């Protein structure tokens, strides 16, 4: 029986270990294994040249591994006892299936962490709002006085931090569908913010995507908790499969479970349908804008309710109210000539852009949208309708620009009377988009970057995309 990281590393000695994926997320894991003197072979489709700097760094620390790189890199994946899969690599690849049938244990950095973590873990997933909800949840716990660790799909991998964790600490992990896809362990508290089509360029279909997300609660016990958004029909179905306590956010679709509700502008708590609602806070008190962010606050409150005492609740509510947001998520960059400029580079799907646009629509702010990125085989029809209802100007570039423009045209065809109010321009770069938006956006309006696609058509990640956009905005005169 393995109870901690030391036990795991002792068990792994003498095992033949493969790590599939040498990207940023797996590098702390690789270093941990090599530091422990374990036999490791690293597999990655990247070339030797692109990985040369990191390989040199490992060698300078006296750490040596075997490598299989480039085209056909998985051809040598056979005969291993333990295989760590990087999240983006599908678990049903033929090479992995063959090794599993042969007897290899296939796992991931996150799964090993969840099995060995001595502290209580709150895991958070969903199609949208994961990072903001995870950050708010960690903030609530820190405000309540807990030593809190935040990681997973946000921040740093946590496996190497296990020796510093104590049983009384609290851990918040953001979990993607890729991390959850083959997970056989669930955290004590699981939060699902919502479920809408996403990552269909990797997942076979929406059903597989949803089932991957469901692994966050599938292996829970009767004493565990599952927080679900009550208005989401997909999550309502998941509630029927829950083993432990279900806690609803926004609305209670059925049952007599606890509710962290949202009514107009009021965030409230209700123990049961027969209980009187207790006001928590108003939306006007929140620095975060948008109904979706109010729901993120409710998810954080629901996830931590069992850990926050009555004398701590007012302080926790104030901390969440004062939170101004995570970088690249509806982040205000500057105001120039009465126009506010926002970076929401994290909006890598049509659904995320719809949510961001809704925040400005609710506030009555005239909006000029800059969008475009890499498509994930998603549906843009709702986005087209929301753009038509929310925006005065749209400036597109990137691989999915034509898809967004087509969705807007289709929405205009259905609402011909509104088409004169909106212009759509397809340009070659964000710089060109910003230049035209600068010319057309009047004082009192806002210019928003919300790509509705991933960054991988032009950038290495959404952070780089957002940083480039911010630099362009700051350079405006």
């Amino acid at each position: 029986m393995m109870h901690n990281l030391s036990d795991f590393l002792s068990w792994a000695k003498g095992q033949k270990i493969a790590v599939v994926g040498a990207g940023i997320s797996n590098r702390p894991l690789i270093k941990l294994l090599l530091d422990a003197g374990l036999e490791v072979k690293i597999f990655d489709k990247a070339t030797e040249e692109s990985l040369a700097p990191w390989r040199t760094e490992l060698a300078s620390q006296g750490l040596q591994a075997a490598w299989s790189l480039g085209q056909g890199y998985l051809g040598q994946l056979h005969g291993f006892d333990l295989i760590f899969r990087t999240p983006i690599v599908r678990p049903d690849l033929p090479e992995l299936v063959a090794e599993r049938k042969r007897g290899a244990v296939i796992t991931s950095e996150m799964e090993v962490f969840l099995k060995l973590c001595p502290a209580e873990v709150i895991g958070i997933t969903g199609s949208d709002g994961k990072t903001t909800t995870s950050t708010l949840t960690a903030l609530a716990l820190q405000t309540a006085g807990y030593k809190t660790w935040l990681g997973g799909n946000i921040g740093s991998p946590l496996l190497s931090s296990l020796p510093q964790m104590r049983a009384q600490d609290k851990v918040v992990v953001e979990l993607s569908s890729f991390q959850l896809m083959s997970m056989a362990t669930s955290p004590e508290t699981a939060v699902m913010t919502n479920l809408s089509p996403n990552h269909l360029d990797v997942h076979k279909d929406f059903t597989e995507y949803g089932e991957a997300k469901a692994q966050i609660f599938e292996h829970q016990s009767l004493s565990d908790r599952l927080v679900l958004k009550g208005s989401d029909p997909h999550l309502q179905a998941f509630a029927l499969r829950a083993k432990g306590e279900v806690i609803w956010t926004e609305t209670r679709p059925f049952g007599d479970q606890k509710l962290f509700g949202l009514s107009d502008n009021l965030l409230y708590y209700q123990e049961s349908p027969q209980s009187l609602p207790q006001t928590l806070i108003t939306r006007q008190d929140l620095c975060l804008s948008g109904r979706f962010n109010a729901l993120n606050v409710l998810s954080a409150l629901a996830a931590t309710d069992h850990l926050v005492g009555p004398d701590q609740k007012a302080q926790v509510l104030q901390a969440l109210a004062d939170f101004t947001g995570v970088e690249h998520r509806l982040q205000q960059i500057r105001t120039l000539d009465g126009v506010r400029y926002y970076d929401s580079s994290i909006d890598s799907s049509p659904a995320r852009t719809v949510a961001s646009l809704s925040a400005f629509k609710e506030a009555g702010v005239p909006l000029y949208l800059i969008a475009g990125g890499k498509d994930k085989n998603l549906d843009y029809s709702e986005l087209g309708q929301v753009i038509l209802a929310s925006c005065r100007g749209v400036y597109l570039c990137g691989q999915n620009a034509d898809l967004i423009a087509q969705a807007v045209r289709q929405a205009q065809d259905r609402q011909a009377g509104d088409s004169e109010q909106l212009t759509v321009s397809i340009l070659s770069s964000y710089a060109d988009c910003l230049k035209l938006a600068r010319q057309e956006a009047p004082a009192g309006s806002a210019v928003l970057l919300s790509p509705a696609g991933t960054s991988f058509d032009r950038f290495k990640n959404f952070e780089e995309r957002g940083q480039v956009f911010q630099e362009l905005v700051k350079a405006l005169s």
Side-chain angles (χ1 to χ4, degrees), residues 259-285:
L259 168 65
F260 285 78
L262 180 61
S263 176
D264 296 325
N265 290 324
L266 192 68
L267 284 72
Y268 66 92
Y269 170 72
Q270 189 180 33
E271 181 75 20
S272 71
Q274 295 76 36
S275 305
L276 291 176
Q278 303 172 26
T279 298
L280 298 172
I281 201 169
T282 68
R283 282 184 59 185
Q284 286 81 1
D285 294 324

Side-chain angles (χ1 to χ4, degrees), residues 35-356:
D35 276 333
L38 302 181
E39 178 188 351
V40 179
K41 187 163 186 173
I42 303 166
F43 296 79
D44 199 288
K45 64 181 178 181
T47 63
E48 290 190 20
E49 181 180 8
S50 63
L51 287 174
W54 189 58
R55 295 179 68 182
T56 300
E57 179 185 335
L58 288 177
S60 69
Q61 300 170 21
L63 302 177
Q64 298 293 333
W67 297 80
S68 178
L69 303 174
Q71 190 74 20
Y73 70 105
L74 291 178
Q76 299 178 38
L77 187 67
H78 49 79
F80 288 91
D81 304 305
L82 177 63
I83 300 173
F84 287 89
R85 176 185 67 87
T86 198
I88 197 62
V89 171
R90 288 185 59 90
D92 58 0
L93 285 181
E95 295 87 349
L96 291 175
V97 171
E99 282 294 275
R100 186 183 294 111
K101 288 180 178 178
R102 196 193 50 77
V105 174
I106 299 178
T107 187
S108 65
E109 178 267 341
M110 179 52 64
E111 185 165 27
V112 172
F113 171 79
L114 290 177
K115 288 180 177 178
L116 300 180
C117 183
E120 181 177 346
V121 178
I122 298 175
I124 297 168
T125 196
S127 301
D128 309 298
K130 295 187 297 297
T131 297
T132 298
T133 301
S134 298
T135 306
L136 288 165
T137 300
L139 175 60
L141 293 170
Q142 290 165 352
T143 305
Y146 294 102
K147 173 68 179 293
T148 305
W149 304 79
L150 175 63
N153 198 48
I154 177 177
S156 304
L158 294 171
L159 187 60
S160 58
S161 299
L162 276 175
Q164 289 78 51
M165 294 183 184
R166 304 167 301 168
Q168 60 267 38
D169 294 349
K170 305 302 172 188
V171 178
V172 180
V173 292
E174 177 187 321
L175 296 168
S176 69
S177 61
F178 306 137
Q179 289 172 307
L180 288 164
M181 199 170 182
S182 59
M183 194 79 77
T185 303
S186 297
E188 292 91 335
T189 298
V191 179
M192 300 187 74
T193 60
N194 68 331
L195 189 64
S196 61
N198 204 348
H199 299 298
L200 299 187
D201 54 337
V202 176
H203 290 287
K204 293 178 180 178
D205 50 33
F206 180 57
T207 298
E208 181 188 88
Y209 172 68
E211 283 304 308
K213 292 288 193 183
Q215 300 313 301
I216 197 171
F217 72 87
E218 200 71 67
H219 312 285
Q220 286 188 321
S221 68
L222 294 174
S223 61
D224 292 334
R225 289 157 296 278
L226 174 60
V227 178
L228 299 171
K229 179 182 173 184
S231 63
D232 191 315
H234 305 294
L235 302 190
Q236 293 173 19
F238 285 157
L240 303 176
R241 293 162 50 179
K243 299 181 180 70
E245 178 186 13
V246 171
I247 305 172
W248 296 108
T249 63
E250 187 181 26
T251 186
R252 184 191 294 107
F254 52 79
D256 58 358
Q257 298 95 339
K258 297 175 184 176
L259 168 65
F260 285 78
L262 180 61
S263 176
D264 296 325
N265 290 324
L266 192 68
L267 284 72
Y268 66 92
Y269 170 72
Q270 189 180 33
E271 181 75 20
S272 71
Q274 295 76 36
S275 305
L276 291 176
Q278 303 172 26
T279 298
L280 298 172
I281 201 169
T282 68
R283 282 184 59 185
Q284 286 81 1
D285 294 324
L286 300 176
C287 289
L288 292 174
S289 60
R291 180 182 176 86
F292 65 96
N293 270 324
L295 294 175
N296 292 335
V297 170
L298 287 173
S299 291
L301 291 170
T304 58
D305 182 58
H306 66 293
L307 298 171
V308 177
D311 57 334
Q312 301 167 318
K313 289 191 176 181
Q315 189 177 2
V316 167
L317 283 170
Q318 190 61 57
L320 299 188
D322 292 341
F323 181 70
T324 57
V326 183
E327 191 175 22
H328 307 305
R329 292 159 176 83
L330 281 183
Q331 179 187 2
Q332 185 171 343
I333 307 166
R334 70 179 295 193
T335 300
L336 178 63
D337 296 335
V339 179
R340 287 174 289 165
Y341 290 80
Y342 291 85
D343 164 21
S344 201
S345 179
I346 187 62
D347 296 347
S348 60
S349 69
R352 292 198 72 124
T353 296
V354 165
S356 292

Side-chain angles (χ1 to χ4, degrees), residues 431-453:
D432 291 339
C433 291
L434 184 61
K435 181 179 179 181
L436 187 54
R438 168 89 169 95
Q439 294 172 5
E440 297 184 350
S445 65
V447 173
L448 167 69
L449 170 68
S450 179

